[in-house]
Amino acid sequence: MKNKQLNRKLELIKYLSNKNYYISTEEIGKNIRCSNKTVQKELIDLMPILEKFSSRLIKKPGKGVILELDPFSEKELFLYLKKNLEVNDNKSSSKERQRYILSKIFFSDIKSLKEVSQYLDISKLSINKDFLDIETWLFRFSIFLKRNERREFFLEGKEEDIRAAIVYYLFKIDKELNESKLNNTDFYIHQKLSENLENILTIEEFCTLEKIILDYFKNIEISLSDESFISLIFTISVSIFRIKKNKFIETKFLDNGCQTNFLSLKNVLEVNFNIKFNNEELNYLYNLIDYHISNSSHNYSATSNPIEKRIEEISVQIYEYLIRLNPYISSEAIVEISSYLFQLLKGKRLNISILNYHIDEIKYNYSTLYGVLWLFQEKIKDIHGKLLSEDDIGYFTLFLDGIISKYSTKLKLKIALVSNKEIGMFSSLLFKLKNILGENVILDTYKVIENDNLFSNYDLILSTRKLKYGIKHIHISPVLNNNDLTKIRFELEKLKKYI
């Protein structure tokens, strides 16, 4: 498969050359299918190249950018870009090929290396190298790529590990449909379907699945975080896809006894998707949903699980590091860390992946804390035999940052916080805000907005998503970056609420 995706820089130039008016980076991103941040980065990279050919980008605040091309150098510019960017395409094409091969492995069949080589139009040597890289990636999930007597490829490993690999693959491939879209929509799966997701369910099936899951949680009066909801939909959809291929989970997970309302969910799924859950599949689904329910409440309690002692030992070591950053952290934090780690490892046992759309921002802003947790990887792996993903470490980093902030010096203010984020992200945001806004602050949190009169008694409203109903609020990142802090402090000065 020749590289069908035109290099982004060249695509940007071609797109802008056809526009004779100012256009925002958000609009550019929508048209070339990438994020606002990516467009901004690419435009910065292009500026010195354009100067070489007597061309330039003109930027106007509030309007956007416009490309001013020198008509005498335009042809040479495009030739230069095509020639030089093809080198980068060749370097990145290996990644694209591997994505394609993985897609074929997961969603259809690969008959032979020759078949793949002919379709991709590259040598068998390059294909062999791609397969070696793929085998290394699959090994992270304890999966092996094998060939049968007819030399056809197949996956060997536990079914739950194969499903985890497919879910993680879908997460990573679709990650670029990301932040700008997520902040401006209700963010359900059918609003961001890609070709990769359509390999497992149709758009209509995704919409049906979403409604079924939403109705179920509405009936039991539980609201999931956005991240947990997406993770659950991905995992259940992959389970349906695999069951239809007669691939069933064999592991016996912890059996807590399925409740009546859960059995009704199971019946609805079977009828709508024409599948049949065996006992192991039913038990897996129950544990999967139970995990997301327990992960949605922002409170944890210690358990008497046999591995608790080992978890506590690691938690004590993490705590000892944290008190170097803030000596006022209470030893009670050990219980909080242990409970979070226990819940996290429960998710790893079920092979649950929760995508972190802010991972790059977390790595940048909390590099030291993130790095420390990365060093604990091997110790954590010894408990359950599985490494944490960078997404897991990112959420854990924010949870620990929340603990550091929780025990810091505080100010005072009365606010409302609207946030429906994963526990690590929510915890960090909540405790950091308490630290900034006051020791005796009245800080109420909301996941769902029931009506527009809800916030009439609050001095300040903060929200991680843009609110409807015309409510005046400050829209903040769940990571609470410097720009958010500036906006909050500006409002504080206007309200004169400092003590």
Side-chain angles (χ1 to χ4, degrees):
M1 180 180 65
K2 296 181 176 68
N3 196 345
K4 295 179 181 178
Q5 193 175 20
L6 191 63
N7 184 282
R8 198 174 281 127
K9 289 184 177 63
L10 187 54
E11 190 173 6
L12 254 174
I13 293 292
K14 285 193 172 184
Y15 177 76
L16 290 173
S17 66
N18 292 319
K19 306 295 178 186
N20 58 359
Y21 52 87
Y22 286 95
I23 184 168
S24 68
T25 52
E26 289 88 351
E27 188 66 26
I28 296 170
K30 286 179 185 177
N31 282 280
I32 66 170
R33 300 171 304 283
C34 65
S35 70
N36 183 33
K37 283 183 181 178
T38 301
V39 173
Q40 291 173 353
K41 180 182 179 301
E42 297 290 3
L43 290 176
I44 291 170
D45 292 344
L46 276 169
M47 285 179 181
I49 298 173
L50 291 169
E51 286 178 8
K52 289 181 182 179
F53 295 90
S54 305
S55 301
R56 61 174 181 154
L57 278 168
I58 304 173
K59 294 191 285 185
K60 264 193 181 178
K63 282 192 170 184
V65 298
I66 190 170
L67 176 61
E68 192 176 84
L69 281 175
D70 177 17
F72 300 104
S73 305
E74 183 176 345
K75 188 175 180 182
E76 287 79 3
L77 170 63
F78 280 104
L79 286 172
Y80 172 86
L81 286 171
K82 192 168 183 182
K83 180 180 177 182
N84 286 274
L85 297 179
E86 275 175 355
V87 175
N88 293 330
D89 279 344
N90 290 333
K91 288 179 181 177
S92 64
S93 61
S94 175
K95 189 174 182 179
E96 296 299 323
R97 292 198 306 268
Q98 289 169 27
R99 286 178 174 178
Y100 166 77
I101 295 168
L102 269 172
S103 177
K104 294 289 284 182
I105 290 169
F106 287 147
F107 308 123
S108 52
D109 297 306
I110 292 180
K111 296 291 187 286
S112 66
L113 284 174
K114 182 179 179 181
E115 172 195 316
V116 180
S117 176
Q118 288 176 342
Y119 185 79
L120 295 173
D121 195 24
I122 59 171
S123 69
K124 286 186 180 180
L125 184 65
S126 295
I127 287 294
N128 275 315
K129 184 180 180 306
D130 287 336
F131 268 86
L132 285 173
D133 290 341
I134 288 169
E135 287 174 337
T136 302
W137 186 84
L138 290 170
F139 184 71
R140 291 171 50 194
F141 298 89
S142 304
I143 304 170
F144 301 91
L145 189 59
K146 300 285 187 179
R147 275 186 274 187
N148 58 25
E149 62 279 359
R150 297 190 298 275
R151 309 297 289 170
E152 296 171 337
F153 290 94
F154 68 96
L155 296 174
E156 182 178 88
K158 291 181 180 179
E159 177 60 23
E160 61 264 30
D161 291 333
I162 294 173
R163 293 185 192 183
I166 296 174
V167 170
Y168 196 75
Y169 165 83
L170 291 171
F171 270 164
K172 289 303 178 184
I173 295 301
D174 292 315
K175 190 172 181 179
E176 288 190 359
L177 296 166
N178 65 51
E179 225 168 323
S180 59
K181 180 177 283 191
L182 301 181
N183 285 334
N184 293 309
T185 70
D186 286 334
F187 168 115
Y188 295 149
I189 301 296
H190 71 264
Q191 292 174 305
K192 63 187 221 61
L193 269 176
S194 71
E195 182 180 342
N196 291 286
L197 292 178
E198 288 178 340
N199 280 311
I200 53 176
L201 292 181
T202 65
I203 293 176
E204 291 75 16
E205 287 175 323
F206 265 113
C207 292
T208 300
L209 180 59
E210 284 179 2
K211 186 176 186 310
I212 290 170
I213 300 302
L214 284 170
D215 287 346
Y216 172 75
F217 282 102
K218 184 178 180 181
N219 289 335
I220 61 175
E221 298 182 337
I222 288 177
S223 175
L224 295 186
S225 70
D226 294 333
E227 293 83 359
S228 280
F229 179 78
I230 284 191
S231 172
L232 186 59
I233 293 290
F234 267 69
T235 308
I236 294 178
S237 62
V238 169
S239 293
I240 292 170
F241 168 74
R242 294 292 289 179
I243 291 172
K244 284 184 175 182
K245 293 171 74 75
N246 293 317
K247 304 290 184 181
F248 294 93
I249 280 176
E250 297 179 359
T251 304
K252 293 185 180 296
F253 292 92
L254 182 64
D255 189 357
N256 297 320
C258 300
Q259 300 171 0
T260 303
N261 53 18
F262 170 77
L263 292 175
S264 66
L265 170 65
K266 166 249 185 189
N267 293 334
V268 172
L269 289 172
E270 286 183 336
V271 169
N272 279 272
F273 295 98
N274 194 26
I275 57 173
K276 189 72 177 175
F277 291 101
N278 62 23
N279 289 336
E280 286 73 23
E281 287 287 351
L282 190 63
N283 189 247
Y284 171 71
L285 180 64
Y286 179 77
N287 277 271
L288 183 70
I289 289 177
D290 181 64
Y291 170 83
H292 285 285
I293 289 174
S294 58
N295 203 36
S296 68
S297 65
H298 299 277
N299 299 300
Y300 293 105
S301 58
T303 72
S304 57
N305 190 282
I307 64 173
E308 182 185 337
K309 186 175 180 180
R310 296 177 68 188
I311 289 175
E312 187 175 348
E313 288 172 358
I314 294 175
S315 300
V316 169
Q317 293 172 24
I318 294 173
Y319 166 75
E320 288 172 349
Y321 172 78
L322 293 183
I323 58 176
R324 296 179 198 170
L325 304 176
N326 180 359
Y328 300 104
I329 297 177
S330 166
S331 59
E332 294 174 1
I334 296 172
V335 176
E336 297 178 66
I337 297 168
S338 298
S339 300
Y340 184 91
L341 187 53
F342 177 81
Q343 186 72 2
L344 179 60
L345 293 179
K346 179 182 175 183
K348 298 312 289 182
R349 184 170 182 268
L350 291 165
N351 281 316
I352 292 171
S353 294
I354 299 182
L355 186 61
N356 193 329
Y357 284 92
H358 301 274
I359 188 63
D360 294 333
E361 196 174 353
I362 292 168
K363 285 181 181 178
Y364 179 79
N365 288 290
Y366 307 95
S367 57
T368 303
L369 199 51
Y370 182 92
V372 167
L373 281 180
W374 190 268
L375 293 176
F376 276 93
Q377 272 278 46
E378 288 302 323
K379 290 185 178 181
I380 294 173
K381 182 185 176 185
D382 287 342
I383 299 176
H384 265 313
K386 292 176 182 175
L387 290 170
L388 302 180
S389 68
E390 65 173 16
D391 302 282
D392 297 325
I393 297 174
Y395 284 128
F396 202 175
T397 296
L398 291 180
F399 181 79
L400 295 182
D401 177 69
I403 288 178
I404 294 170
S405 301
K406 178 181 179 180
Y407 293 95
S408 297
T409 306
K410 300 172 183 180
L411 302 171
K412 287 186 178 181
L413 185 68
K414 177 183 177 181
I415 65 169
L417 171 64
V418 182
S419 180
N420 193 17
K421 290 296 179 183
E422 193 274 340
I423 176 63
M425 192 168 283
F426 176 87
S427 176
S428 171
L429 179 61
L430 180 64
F431 291 136
K432 187 172 288 186
L433 283 171
K434 281 186 176 180
N435 174 44
I436 294 166
L437 302 172
E439 185 174 352
N440 299 316
V441 67
I442 300 172
L443 180 59
D444 293 330
T445 60
Y446 298 90
K447 291 183 179 181
V448 180
I449 304 162
E450 300 293 343
N451 60 71
D452 48 351
N453 296 318
L454 193 62
F455 304 111
S456 56
N457 294 322
Y458 289 100
D459 296 309
L460 188 63
I461 302 163
L462 308 175
S463 177
T464 57
R465 60 169 39 185
K466 292 182 179 177
L467 300 182
K468 299 176 183 177
Y469 314 116
I471 298 170
K472 186 178 179 182
H473 66 285
I474 299 177
H475 182 218
I476 60 174
S477 163
V479 179
L480 201 64
N481 56 40
N482 289 333
N483 185 46
D484 298 323
L485 293 175
T486 301
K487 289 190 289 186
I488 292 171
R489 285 170 181 147
F490 178 76
E491 286 297 319
L492 287 175
E493 288 197 1
K494 287 203 303 184
L495 292 168
K496 301 185 185 299
K497 290 285 181 179
Y498 279 124
I499 290 181

